[in-house]
Amino acid sequence: MQQNALARMKTHFPSTATAVLLVLAGAAALQAQPSETFIDTLDVQVVEVDVVVTDRNGRPVRGLTREDFELYVDGEPVEITNFFESELLGQPAEPADRTAAPTADAEPPESEAAADPASLTIVLYMDDANLFPPYRSRLLRRLEKAVESWRSLNARFMFARFVNRLEVVVPPTSDLDAILKAAAKRPKGLARAVRNQRSRQFTLEDINVNSRGCQNTGQLVALAETYAVEQANRAAIAADGLADLTSTLAGIPGRKAIVYMSDGLPQQPGLSAFDYIAQDLCPNDPRIVPETNAAAQRHDETRRFQQLTAHANANRVTLFTLDAGGIRTGLSQSMSFDGRAPSYQNDRLHWTNIQGGLQQLASETGGKALLNSNDLADLLEDVTEQLASTYSLGFSPDERRSGEVRRLKVELAPHAARGRSVEYRRSYRDKTQDEQLAERLISAAYLGSTPNPLGVAVDLGATTPREKKVHRQPVSIVVPEEAVLLVPGDGGPSGALRLLLLAVDEDRRGRAPVRQMTVPVGPAGDVQATEGAFRFEVSVSLAEGDYQVVVGVRDETTGEMSLVREVAQVPSR
């Protein structure tokens, strides 16, 4: 093999137990990007906008036509080039034997149903790090009955949870009972979630004890700021988990809906603590309101949630956010203070604030925030109604603006409005090709979807020690010559293969950015075929542990891409 045929790609994994959480624009870390090929420049992009129309009573409206809708991008009207109505209601499926083993593995994500671009995948996602155990137990007790309406949907289902990392418990399957059985096996909550639930109470008690007639307002604001930082950190971790799940779903065609269960996401962390100081403890102090307002404005998660919804919209993911607290009671009603208890207005401000983030995520992605109810069945029936009948409005953007968020607006034409309302995603972001490819590898790592149209073969060799607790893992990649399209040129036929590599730590789900490189192949390229195949040797540096190694190979001329997943075991010395 020629020396220039040896393509070296190196990446390092953290040796600590800290999970590497996905940054919303994490795919931007891809390196050595090639220019677009002539095939890519001829590709016509169609952006699909999923729309739900309801009447005055909240019931879905069916039978509308293309002429009944008006679509705007950044305030300018655009032509609706593609239109169809998706009807996903079918005959309710009979519950399977709950004592049988889950059948999720028997139906891979790349099945015919999942490949349909009009298909629907519903993800039940429990943010266990932010689920108060009593709330969580109540949800699980009522879950089996609550999801009965989902059996009438022609959809696939998935169960995921988040603790310190994203965990895909059951990959996409049509077997809803596999989801219920997996959820029932995880009935316990986390001590961390208990501390989170009680942190507001402890903070207000500390502020009350140290108030001393409001003589030292700086100390009181500092206590509130500590609580605000703590809440902001929790919101950031929750947003990262949702972003990770959204990237994982990018490899699944069709619509995706996430039912996100948590105790809420505060838009302004610590807001009720600042209000408690200004309105309940020190209402007559003219210095305190400007000070607490300024402090509250320093802690605002609105922009973070906007980035998350843009990421979800780019991947055609709708968020249904559920406040697990249901019908809430306030601190002023459930406990006593050795001083001035928080007012009912302060409690309401707290509830509105933690539900504000849930409202934002749902409304910006065309979903619904499911709030203020202890009846889980009613809440999930709302999900069923909204997903059962959807209109898809497709349009071709006037220009590609990779990475830029553009605002969408959908209205009913005057003759079709008649008191009806519409729900839809409020933005879209044109993902770069690099981001799309990276997310396909992430989906393969988590969900096991590994189409291989190019017939790529991958072999992981024996590891060799490099440094403390780090080994070199060689990866051999073989691509059949006949599977690659070579284009005639002055120097002879040539083509290009893009090689991508991702390794995910099985224990910690830590991962580094996807690494990639593009190699010219063929008689006029850098790498010639030997024995009827193009052969590459690459390597990755891995710490001790078990990994899912995903190799992607893309024919840059045709856009055809293969994914191969292998298990790597790096022994301890």
Side-chain angles (χ1 to χ4, degrees):
M1 186 181 299
Q2 298 180 11
Q3 182 64 30
N4 59 7
L6 299 178
R8 303 293 182 186
M9 294 188 294
K10 300 179 180 180
T11 183
H12 296 275
F13 264 71
S15 58
T16 67
T18 303
V20 180
L21 297 174
L22 178 71
V23 178
L24 291 180
L30 300 170
Q31 298 177 343
Q33 313 308 338
S35 59
E36 300 290 331
T37 66
F38 72 95
I39 292 292
D40 290 324
T41 60
L42 295 177
D43 184 37
V44 178
Q45 182 200 32
V46 176
V47 177
E48 299 286 350
V49 184
D50 299 311
V51 180
V52 175
V53 182
T54 54
D55 61 18
R56 289 185 177 89
N57 297 316
R59 294 172 299 196
V61 176
R62 299 181 175 89
L64 299 178
T65 65
R66 184 195 314 248
E67 289 69 29
D68 295 324
F69 293 91
E70 297 174 354
L71 179 59
Y72 302 84
V73 178
D74 292 335
E76 297 295 326
V78 297
E79 179 185 2
I80 300 174
T81 57
N82 297 51
F83 178 87
F84 67 88
E85 180 180 1
S86 176
E87 174 57 69
L88 293 175
L89 280 175
Q91 293 297 321
E94 291 295 328
D97 181 5
R98 294 294 307 280
T99 62
T103 59
D105 293 338
E107 192 174 11
E110 61 268 25
S111 66
E112 182 178 349
D116 181 3
S119 63
L120 170 65
T121 302
I122 303 176
V123 184
L124 190 68
Y125 178 53
M126 305 189 76
D127 187 356
D128 278 345
N130 290 294
L131 266 176
F132 188 42
Y135 299 163
R136 189 181 189 280
S137 298
R138 181 180 64 202
L139 290 175
L140 291 177
R141 285 196 305 269
R142 302 175 182 180
L143 184 61
E144 183 175 358
K145 178 182 177 181
V147 299
E148 281 303 303
S149 62
W150 289 5
R151 296 186 187 279
S152 64
L153 291 172
N154 294 321
R156 290 163 62 82
F157 307 96
M158 175 175 153
F159 177 45
R161 64 194 290 260
F162 184 86
V163 181
N164 295 315
R165 59 176 175 82
L166 172 66
E167 178 185 356
V168 176
V169 183
V170 180
T173 174
S174 59
D175 183 4
L176 183 57
D177 291 286
I179 306 298
L180 295 172
K181 187 171 183 178
K185 287 183 177 180
R186 290 166 171 81
K188 294 183 179 180
L190 300 176
R192 185 198 317 171
V194 176
R195 293 194 299 271
N196 293 347
Q197 177 70 15
R198 295 176 178 171
S199 60
R200 174 177 173 244
Q201 172 186 331
F202 297 152
T203 297
L204 298 192
E205 286 179 336
D206 283 346
I207 292 173
N208 178 50
V209 169
N210 290 276
S211 59
R212 300 188 188 91
C214 299
Q215 296 177 8
N216 188 353
T217 57
Q219 181 185 10
L220 304 184
V221 173
L223 290 171
E225 287 233 50
T226 300
Y227 169 62
V229 170
E230 178 187 322
Q231 274 206 317
N233 287 338
R234 291 204 303 269
I237 292 172
D240 282 341
L242 269 170
D244 218 353
L245 177 58
T246 299
S247 292
T248 300
L249 297 175
I252 300 178
R255 287 187 295 152
K256 283 83 65 172
I258 298 175
V259 179
Y260 171 61
M261 299 183 175
S262 79
D263 292 345
L265 288 175
Q267 278 188 308
Q268 286 188 279
L271 182 61
S272 66
F274 296 120
D275 179 81
Y276 177 59
I277 298 170
Q279 302 299 329
D280 291 347
L281 290 181
C282 311
N284 299 319
D285 190 331
R287 303 167 299 165
I288 197 63
V289 172
E291 191 173 354
T292 54
N293 285 347
Q297 290 172 5
R298 289 195 291 268
H299 305 281
D300 193 315
E301 294 297 302
T302 300
R303 179 169 175 77
R304 185 189 302 277
F305 297 152
Q306 287 173 342
Q307 292 174 323
L308 176 55
T309 56
H311 185 55
N313 287 336
N315 289 336
R316 206 180 175 191
V317 173
T318 301
L319 294 172
F320 292 86
T321 54
L322 189 150
D323 178 11
I327 299 175
R328 295 177 176 270
T329 58
L331 289 179
S332 58
Q333 300 174 6
S334 62
M335 63 169 293
S336 61
F337 278 63
D338 292 332
R340 179 166 297 186
S343 64
Y344 180 71
Q345 288 73 19
N346 185 268
D347 287 335
R348 286 185 59 85
L349 179 67
H350 172 69
W351 304 330
T352 303
N353 187 36
I354 63 174
Q355 292 176 349
L358 301 180
Q359 290 273 18
Q360 182 181 347
L361 296 183
S363 64
E364 286 287 312
T365 59
K368 187 174 184 179
L370 309 172
L371 312 172
N372 305 320
S373 174
N374 291 333
D375 192 337
L376 185 60
D378 282 350
L379 296 178
L380 297 191
E381 283 176 7
D382 286 348
V383 177
T384 305
E385 286 190 0
Q386 185 153 336
L387 294 175
S389 181
T390 306
Y391 299 93
S392 181
L393 315 182
F395 71 95
S396 298
D398 53 355
E399 58 180 316
R400 303 292 293 269
R401 299 182 184 179
S402 296
E404 181 177 334
V405 177
R406 306 187 68 180
R407 302 300 298 177
L408 296 173
K409 184 178 181 181
V410 177
E411 292 183 344
L412 291 172
H415 67 270
R418 295 195 295 272
R420 296 165 175 168
S421 60
V422 292
E423 295 290 343
Y424 56 94
R425 58 172 170 147
R426 306 298 169 135
S427 67
Y428 86 91
R429 181 170 58 85
D430 184 10
K431 293 192 295 185
T432 65
Q433 185 184 85
D434 301 328
E435 189 177 2
Q436 295 175 39
L437 297 179
E439 289 178 335
R440 289 192 64 182
L441 264 71
I442 293 170
S443 291
Y446 282 91
L447 304 180
S449 177
T450 52
N452 190 5
L454 300 178
V456 174
V458 173
D459 179 65
L460 304 182
T463 63
T464 55
R466 293 180 62 105
E467 53 189 82
K468 184 178 180 181
K469 294 186 178 182
V470 176
H471 292 238
R472 175 183 176 273
Q473 173 66 69
V475 182
S476 298
I477 305 171
V478 179
V479 186
E481 182 181 17
E482 63 182 8
V484 182
L485 179 61
L486 302 181
V487 180
D490 294 338
S494 66
L497 292 176
R498 190 185 304 205
L499 310 180
L500 305 99
L501 181 63
L502 171 68
V504 176
D505 189 320
E506 282 284 84
D507 295 325
R508 301 185 293 269
R509 277 296 192 260
R511 67 170 182 262
V514 174
R515 303 295 182 183
Q516 66 170 298
M517 66 185 305
T518 300
V519 183
V521 297
D526 293 341
V527 178
Q528 284 77 48
T530 58
E531 299 179 355
F534 299 106
R535 303 171 188 275
F536 307 91
E537 294 289 335
V538 301
S539 67
V540 57
S541 294
L542 301 175
E544 299 169 355
D546 296 334
Y547 295 84
Q548 291 286 350
V549 176
V550 182
V551 174
V553 178
R554 183 178 190 267
D555 184 340
E556 293 291 85
T557 305
T558 64
E560 199 90 74
M561 184 171 178
S562 283
L563 294 168
V564 179
R565 188 174 71 163
E566 297 288 343
V567 175
Q569 296 179 325
V570 180
S572 57
R573 295 192 180 187

